[in-house]
Amino acid sequence: QVQLVESGGGLVQAGGSLRLSCEASGLTFSAAAMGWFRQAPGKERECVAGISRGGGSVYYSGSVKGRFTISRDNAKNTVYLQMNSLKPEDTAVYYCGARGSALSGRFYYREVDYNVWGQGTQITVSS
């Protein structure tokens, strides 16, 4: 059974930092591209960061570029999202996604390109 489990969410003041983790099981992690998405109330789910299966190619949305860093540890089957300089508009439920059998060097940023999702973790940034 393929499973993604996120952790690290919570409440933080504006300007603060958080680190999300997503541990995968039941899939060949080193063959999967990974991504972080978020969904705020009343808004569509959006990709904030994506990373290729080897970690060499990354994507960031314009709203988080320079503040968030995605990384992965294939030995631990885990992808991370380091979030710095958090803003109230970063408040959302954050989801980890996986695309199995991804092309080498390719990241993905469309929701439709992912076939496994975590349960989500809430991030609340207070002003």
Side-chain angles (χ1 to χ4, degrees):
Q1 181 182 357
V2 180
Q3 194 172 13
L4 302 176
V5 179
E6 299 108 334
S7 60
L11 174 66
V12 64
Q13 288 189 332
S17 298
L18 281 175
R19 187 196 198 203
L20 300 182
S21 299
C22 171
E23 185 173 2
S25 59
L27 78 164
T28 304
F29 187 75
S30 61
M34 302 297 294
W36 286 99
F37 287 69
R38 68 185 181 188
Q39 187 167 22
K43 295 188 177 181
E44 293 185 352
R45 189 178 297 192
E46 63 168 343
C47 182
V48 296
I51 189 166
S52 61
R53 66 188 200 188
S57 298
V58 295
Y59 162 83
Y60 297 102
S61 69
S63 60
V64 308
K65 189 174 293 184
R67 300 187 298 122
F68 290 12
T69 302
I70 188 171
S71 61
R72 65 189 295 161
D73 186 339
N74 285 354
K76 295 183 178 179
N77 286 2
T78 302
V79 62
Y80 306 96
L81 185 68
Q82 178 67 43
M83 304 182 292
N84 299 328
S85 302
L86 283 161
K87 304 175 181 180
E89 50 263 44
D90 293 318
T91 295
V93 177
Y94 284 70
Y95 298 90
C96 171
R99 176 192 170 95
S101 301
L103 296 175
S104 179
R106 174 85 182 268
F107 56 74
Y108 300 84
Y109 54 84
R110 299 187 308 164
E111 187 177 358
V112 69
D113 288 325
Y114 289 80
N115 46 27
V116 184
W117 294 95
Q119 80 286 357
T121 185
Q122 176 72 46
I123 301 292
T124 302
V125 184
S126 63
S127 57

